[in-house]
Amino acid sequence: RASLCFLIKENRKEIFYTTFEQGTQKMSVLGTAVRDLVTKLLHLCRDPDTVVRLQCSKVLGELGAIAPSVVNIPIMRPTLSDEMSDDDLAVEIINNYLVPALKVNDSLQNRFLYGIQELLQNSLRCTGDTPQRFREFTRKQTASPF
């Protein structure tokens, strides 16, 4: 029983030399299959199951580097509003990218923490007395008007 990794390894030259028709930028049938395979593998890399992600990584590793522009893989980018303020963007980056990364990758924690620190200091203009100022602000907001 042959695995996908084995098939790719055994047919690597054919895959890359026949992906595009000779002398043209027109994608061959095999090129379309490779594009679809890479797209599906990239999608499966988001699977919560570690075994699935590992197998996808192995197959992508066997395929090697493939430029998205060459195989026309659609790249999904998160959409951020053009109307988003700098402060909102900083909060978005911290909440949606840096804090979740802290929970996943222990070896890079210092880098993520540094990124959070820089955003807090430079974009949100936080200082050492910010926590005290925030507590005072929330006390004033929750104080009863009566």
Side-chain angles (χ1 to χ4, degrees), residues 14-15 19 22 26 31 37 39-40 43 69 74 76 86 88-89 101 118 120 126 130 139:
E14 290 82 8
I15 290 171
T19 298
Q22 289 291 27
K26 186 176 177 188
L37 174 64
T39 302
K40 299 281 192 254
H43 179 71
S69 61
M76 304 295 281
D86 289 347
D88 290 340
L89 178 60
E118 289 299 302
L120 289 172
C126 294
T130 298
R139 234 182 280 130

Side-chain angles (χ1 to χ4, degrees), residues 73-85:
I73 297 171
I75 297 175
M76 304 295 281
R77 292 195 174 106
T79 56
L80 297 173
S81 172
D82 291 337
E83 299 167 9
M84 185 178 282
S85 72

